[in-house]
Amino acid sequence: MIDAGGTTPRTYEVRATRAGRRVEVATRRGLVEVSEVTRSGSAVRTARFMSSRILALVEHPADGQRKASA
């Protein structure tokens, strides 16, 4: 959740959309960078936020359960 200066905070969601990808969070120079990364380490999508504007950063672990294809 980000304080965007309006009446309500904005919510952004970054997910690992394909098998083998992961989400990494890095903090640098007052910025928080959230990236979806492939197995080889290249970033697919990246979101950057000012750390002073972040209200909450919630990380959910992967399910670990694979769904059987029918």
Side-chain angles (χ1 to χ4, degrees):
M1 296 182 84
I2 305 297
D3 177 13
T7 57
T8 59
R10 292 186 184 181
T11 301
Y12 296 90
E13 188 171 320
V14 178
R15 289 181 176 219
T17 55
R18 294 191 180 182
R21 291 188 180 173
R22 63 188 183 277
V23 175
E24 292 184 350
V25 178
T27 305
R28 297 184 186 105
R29 294 184 180 176
L31 289 176
V32 175
E33 186 174 273
V34 182
S35 301
E36 179 184 356
V37 181
T38 63
R39 287 182 181 144
S40 63
S42 58
V44 178
R45 293 183 296 148
T46 301
R48 291 182 183 95
F49 305 101
M50 290 175 47
S51 61
S52 61
R53 294 290 189 173
I54 294 178
L55 301 174
L57 180 64
V58 180
E59 296 182 56
H60 295 282
D63 284 344
Q65 299 175 0
R66 293 186 140 182
K67 293 181 180 179
S69 59

